[in-house]
Amino acid sequence: MRAWAVFKKEMRLYFSSPIAYVVFAIFTLVAGWFFYNVFAFYTLISMQAAMNPTMARDMSVTEGVLRPLFQNISVIMLLMMPILTMRLFAEEKKSGTIELLLTYPVRDGEILFGKYLAALGIFLGMLTLTLVYPALVAWATQLEWGPLLTGYLGLLLQGAAFIAVGILISSLTENQIVAAVSTFGTLLIFWVISWASESAGSTWGRVLSHLSITEHFESFAKGVIDTKDLIYYVNLTILSLFLTLRSLESKRWRS
């Protein structure tokens, strides 16, 4: 119940400031722009394929529309998640309310859980808005539901991990800009880390590929659920939240 009170407080703060509205607006507009271009290109290729049966046989709405859509949404998340999480603890530390919050009869885990759920709730709202794009595809052509569901599952897991990393970094600083930039930089490193896998040798190459956020998202976008990808995102989320708890405990002891 106390985590629920923290959740409600955070949701009020999100919607009493421009953050939630800006994130919703920018996320929807940019995702819509990407979808429009992907779908327009697929429509153009489909018209050309209508006169070429061999070409039409190789066309797939999953490969032509859904997979690029999910990859584009994933890129936008990389940019938006730091904005969503930057204030969660940094603002409390800057204003001094974190010391007051830690004196309340509420456990650190409940504070973290409430704040994490609030950011996750905003993220779920963002994802829900993008459902209009597959709905448009389903209206125009036959949709493959399996890859659609796995793609959204991959986005949900990836977003949950992004938020966990962001909330960890927000707990380490009292400056929101530092928190946002550091979160973006950290996620970007995980994003591009596999680029060096070919030149790093076989063992280190496999390690770098395993650490890559994008490598683990590929199977979801293709309509495949691989256990190692599920474990990767769950582990990253749990590890980040665990380190955040340790950060809060450290703050409590120093206070």
Side-chain angles (χ1 to χ4, degrees):
M1 288 301 292
R2 286 173 291 194
W4 177 246
V6 175
F7 169 81
K8 289 193 295 184
K9 168 181 166 284
E10 289 301 324
M11 291 301 277
R12 277 198 304 273
L13 288 174
Y14 270 125
F15 286 100
S16 62
S17 71
I19 291 179
Y21 305 102
V22 169
V23 167
F24 275 126
I26 299 297
F27 183 80
T28 308
L29 284 174
V30 178
W33 174 251
F34 279 126
F35 171 74
Y36 168 77
N37 284 282
V38 167
F39 195 54
F41 181 73
Y42 180 80
T43 304
L44 178 65
I45 297 298
S46 298
M47 293 172 66
Q48 295 175 355
M51 295 177 287
N52 186 340
T54 304
M55 186 177 174
R57 203 166 45 236
D58 298 330
M59 289 196 64
S60 161
V61 70
T62 298
E63 289 296 319
V65 179
L66 291 183
R67 193 174 167 195
L69 174 65
F70 291 136
Q71 289 170 336
N72 290 331
I73 291 176
S74 181
V75 172
I76 305 169
M77 284 163 48
L78 177 69
L79 304 172
M80 292 287 107
M81 289 300 110
I83 299 173
L84 196 62
T85 59
M86 65 180 185
R87 53 157 293 277
L88 285 172
F89 281 108
E91 186 181 50
E92 302 261 19
K93 296 177 81 172
K94 177 77 173 178
S95 62
T97 54
I98 187 69
E99 285 83 2
L100 185 63
L101 187 61
L102 292 176
T103 61
Y104 287 166
V106 54
R107 289 180 291 183
D108 295 346
E110 292 172 322
I111 297 172
L112 174 61
F113 190 55
K115 287 178 176 289
Y116 181 75
L117 276 188
L120 196 61
I122 297 291
F123 172 60
L124 285 175
M126 292 160 60
L127 276 189
T128 302
L129 290 175
T130 67
L131 289 175
V132 67
Y133 308 132
L136 288 172
V137 176
W139 176 73
T141 185
Q142 188 172 3
L143 193 63
E144 299 174 77
W145 294 100
L148 177 67
L149 294 176
T150 59
Y152 271 99
L153 174 62
L155 289 175
L156 180 61
L157 290 170
Q158 192 179 70
F162 283 5
I163 291 171
V165 172
I167 205 169
L168 166 63
I169 295 175
S170 180
S171 74
L172 300 174
T173 178
E174 61 180 32
N175 188 305
Q176 295 186 45
I177 302 300
V178 171
V181 172
S182 300
T183 301
F184 174 73
T186 303
L187 295 177
L188 186 61
I189 289 172
F190 278 100
W191 193 277
V192 302
I193 198 168
S194 65
W195 292 6
S197 59
E198 290 187 8
S199 60
S202 59
T203 302
W204 280 108
R206 285 196 297 273
V207 172
L208 294 179
S209 293
H210 178 73
L211 292 174
S212 169
I213 285 174
T214 53
E215 293 283 332
H216 290 281
F217 184 70
E218 282 298 313
S219 59
F220 288 106
K222 293 176 182 174
V224 177
I225 298 177
D226 193 320
T227 308
K228 70 175 172 47
D229 300 323
L230 284 172
I231 292 173
Y232 170 82
Y233 285 121
V234 171
N235 282 347
L236 181 58
T237 301
I238 292 176
L239 176 63
S240 299
L241 294 178
F242 172 78
L243 293 176
T244 307
L245 265 183
R246 298 286 80 81
S247 171
L248 291 178
E249 287 178 0
S250 169
K251 179 68 178 174
R252 185 187 288 276
W253 282 110
R254 288 200 304 271
S255 301

